[in-house]
Structure formats: structure tokens, C-alpha cells
Amino acid sequence: MDKKDIDWANLGFGYIKTDKRFVSDFKDGKWDEGRMTGDDTIVLSECAGVLQYAQTIFEGLKAYTTRDGKIVTFRPNLNAERMEDSARRLEMPVFPKERFVRAVLDTIKANEAYVPPYGSGATLYIRPYMFGSNPVIGVKPADEYQFRIFTTPVGPYFKGGVKPLTIKVSDFDRAAPRGTGNIKAGLNYAMSLHPIVVAHNEGFAENMYLDAATRTKVEETGGANFIFVTKDKKIVTPKSDSILPSITKRSLLTVAKDYLGLEVIEREVLFSEIGDFAECGLCGTAAVISPVGKVNDHGREICFDSGMESMGEICGKLRDTLTGIQLGETEAPEGWIYPVD
Ligand SMILES: *Cc1c(COP(=O)(O)O)cnc(C)c1O
């Protein structure tokens, strides 16, 4: 198989149209068998449920070329399970887990020529999603849905090293208690667009959201979970029903325990205590871990010991171990790596 003529090392995190995408339609109470198509467009009713009432959910994962030249993906079963939870919360039909995983593998295979080579730092990003497609004007769930998966090659998240970020405490809330913060839905991102534009205009990379009920506890950013490292090298991560359960975070916690021998604590994290931590990182598929150097709370700066020059020691070890597992350089826990063929 010949790779596409792409300058892998200089790819950004953007959309590039690839050859094939997977599509399956839900109609009359069931999913059809699905198909691979070259058509990257969707024709919809002007009144489709997704357009009127935002009935849409998504997932994100990556495919990697390993050191020995194989194409693999990482824990797609967990994306399938999380998408089931998202679907149930928005009254959408579940796309069966086995079919989800099969379709992810088939879509990667169909776009093999776009999977960046080992050592390029780039990966193939995979975007499964589902939306209500038939006309809905009275407020109710749609009756018809489309499930799709497209892929796009993306660059290394960190070009020229990993620089710590400065983030701000947001004046907006991300998710209400008993709301939809724990599902991966477009609606959670729509509301985050204004706060992120405000943060960027003020020179900050991201928003730290606090819990909406009391605004005393750390939740997450718009698209990544927090991990903190204590001065005695324990891993602390916020526990809350309104944060999105990051697969990267869950994997990093296992890496911390089983590969690095660190103690891992999931608990409520008070905003007032974050200055006591030595390191802070943002976890998600795109970046694995991005180090946070500073949090700005309305002009008051909270600085982590790791500083603004480089990633902290523990975050660096976590990142290197997890990427080593994904790239076939380090032995993976049972069931984490799915070969594409
Ligand atoms: C997707 C997402 C994450 C990261 O989850 P991963 O499974 O690690 O990619 C974190 N927070 C939010 C709000 C998200 O949507």
C-alpha cells in the first residue's frame, strides 16, 4: 500500500478529507448493515432533529503506526461504551458495541494510505458520530438517525516540544449537576465556544471550569480532564458526575499505578488547594497530556512547581509511557491495543 503524498511532520490538527467513510442508517427501529462510501457530504431535511434541537453525539480516537510497521488503534471498546451512554442520555438508539469496533477498524483499513508513518509524530484521528436525521419540529427525539465515521490525519499536538500552558478560571459554567457534562455531545461544545473565544482573546490557552453548584471544586476544561501531581508524587484527579470520563485519563491512571508504581487518588479537588500541587496536566486523545504551568484566577496567578519552561517530571513519564504503549515500544496491558488487520 502506498502512502499519500503528505508532509506528515508539518500536519496541524485540522480536517483533511480522506478516501472513505462509514455510514449506517437507523430507520423503522433498526440499523441497516452499513456501507463504506467515498461521498463526504450529507443531504438532510431542513427540519432534521440535529439541526433544530442539537441531537448529536460523537467520539474521538486515533490510529497509530507502531515501531514494527503495524497499524493499531487504542481501546475502541471504551469509545463504543461511552457512545452508548451518550446515546441513552439524548434518547438516541445505541449503535451496537461490536459493530462500532468493527466499523472503526474497517474505516481505518479503508484509509490506510492516510495513517501517518511511525516516527512522524502524526496519527490518524477517527471521528465516529451520530445525529437525528428526520424532520422534528415538536420537541421530541428523532425517529431516524445516521451513524458515521470519518478519519483525518493530524499532526503532533506539540510542535517543537511541550510548552506549559497558562489557563484561566472561567466565569462561565460547563455542566450542571445532573446535566449532560458526562456525555460526549455537541451541545457541551456549543456552549463552550463563547468562553474559549473570550479566554483566547485574553491570551489564555484554555478555561478551567469549576463545579456549577458551588464554584469551589475543579471540574475540567472544555475538552480535557485534569490530572494533578502532589509534591510527594501522588496522582490526584477530580471526581465529579459532571465531567466527561476521559479514556486517556483512565489509561494514564492505570499507567501511573501499574507501570510507574505511583499512588492514584480520585476525589473532589477544591480550587483553593491547587496551589499545593507540583504539576498539573490536561488529558485527552488529542494531546495525551498537556502541561499546565499557571492558572489565572481573575488576575491572581497560581503557579505549579514544574514552571513555564518544560513539562513536569511525572507528567512527562506518564506521557512517554502511554505513547510508548500506543506505538508498540512498551508492552500494553491486555486488551488495550486493537490491530487493524
Ligand atoms: C473527549 C473529551 C475529553 C477527553 O476524552 P478522551 O477519551 O481522553 O479523548 C475530556 N473532556 C471532554 C469534555 C471531552 O469531550
Side-chain angles (χ1 to χ4, degrees):
M1 177 260 331
D2 283 335
K3 290 288 178 188
K4 298 284 172 178
D5 185 17
I6 291 173
D7 182 6
W8 307 107
N10 290 308
L11 276 175
F13 198 92
Y15 173 75
I16 293 174
K17 184 172 123 186
T18 63
D19 293 342
K20 297 289 179 188
R21 63 278 301 128
F22 177 82
V23 185
S24 180
D25 290 304
F26 182 89
K27 200 175 172 177
D28 300 326
K30 57 181 192 303
W31 289 106
D32 68 10
E33 67 283 4
R35 60 201 178 274
M36 210 58 81
T37 173
D39 189 356
D40 63 317
T41 64
I42 299 170
V43 177
L44 276 179
S45 161
E46 63 187 352
C47 196
V50 59
L51 299 178
Q52 302 311 322
Y53 302 123
Q55 204 183 12
T56 178
I57 55 178
F58 67 99
E59 276 301 326
L61 67 164
K62 283 175 169 176
Y64 309 82
T65 304
T66 61
R67 184 165 59 182
D68 54 5
K70 296 197 169 64
I71 298 176
V72 301
T73 189
F74 185 70
R75 310 186 81 179
N77 53 317
L78 298 187
N79 296 92
E81 286 168 12
R82 192 168 64 187
M83 197 164 192
E84 286 188 15
D85 294 339
S86 301
R88 289 199 180 93
R89 180 66 176 79
L90 294 194
E91 287 294 337
M92 301 168 82
V94 162
F95 194 76
K97 180 170 155 178
E98 299 68 38
R99 290 199 59 200
F100 178 104
V101 171
R102 186 70 255 158
V104 165
L105 297 175
D106 290 349
T107 313
I108 299 167
K109 183 73 188 165
N111 295 290
E112 209 176 352
Y114 292 91
V115 183
Y118 174 75
S120 63
T123 52
L124 188 72
Y125 184 76
I126 304 147
R127 171 52 61 89
Y129 60 115
M130 189 202 294
F131 53 87
S133 52
N134 67 300
V136 175
I137 192 74
V139 178
K140 65 176 170 88
D143 305 308
E144 294 174 12
Y145 294 85
Q146 194 162 83
F147 172 82
R148 299 178 72 104
I149 306 175
F150 70 76
T151 62
T152 183
V154 294
Y157 204 79
F158 301 113
K159 284 209 177 89
V162 188
K163 277 283 175 199
L165 308 172
T166 301
I167 66 175
K168 70 166 282 187
V169 176
S170 182
D171 291 321
F172 299 92
D173 294 324
R174 191 190 88 89
R178 298 171 291 278
T180 54
N182 59 345
I183 62 165
K184 213 167 173 71
L187 57 92
N188 289 326
Y189 280 79
M191 73 82 225
S192 76
L193 297 176
H194 176 60
I196 196 65
V197 168
V198 170
H200 287 164
N201 287 344
E202 293 173 355
F204 300 107
E206 265 296 348
N207 280 302
M208 171 183 271
Y209 290 104
L210 303 180
D211 74 294
T214 70
R215 300 189 64 85
T216 58
K217 289 172 269 185
V218 176
E219 294 251 308
E220 60 172 321
T221 68
N225 285 182
F226 283 106
I227 274 188
F228 297 98
V229 182
T230 64
K231 294 194 199 293
D232 57 353
K233 302 193 199 312
K234 290 178 182 151
I235 308 294
V236 176
T237 187
K239 192 180 169 74
S240 157
D241 291 339
S242 46
I243 69 180
L244 194 281
S246 157
I247 293 164
T248 312
K249 196 231 351 237
R250 286 182 265 165
S251 304
L252 287 168
L253 297 184
T254 301
V255 165
K257 258 189 291 199
D258 297 350
Y259 286 70
L260 304 178
L262 302 174
E263 191 180 328
V264 168
I265 306 157
E266 267 189 279
R267 61 161 170 84
E268 290 188 338
V269 173
L270 293 177
F271 178 64
S272 59
E273 67 172 306
I274 65 168
D276 299 339
F277 293 119
E279 299 179 33
C280 172
L282 300 178
C283 325
T285 295
V288 188
I289 308 191
S290 330
V292 175
K294 241 191 256 180
V295 180
N296 188 299
D297 175 25
H298 302 92
R300 183 175 66 98
E301 287 194 332
I302 301 155
C303 302
F304 298 103
D305 298 351
S306 51
M308 292 303 295
E309 282 311 306
S310 59
M311 192 154 191
E313 179 206 342
I314 300 294
C315 283
K317 280 187 182 159
L318 285 170
R319 187 181 58 128
D320 292 348
T321 311
L322 185 58
T323 50
I325 288 169
Q326 290 164 335
L327 297 175
E329 298 159 349
T330 302
E331 200 182 332
E334 179 80 28
W336 278 24
I337 300 297
Y338 283 60
V340 163
D341 43 17

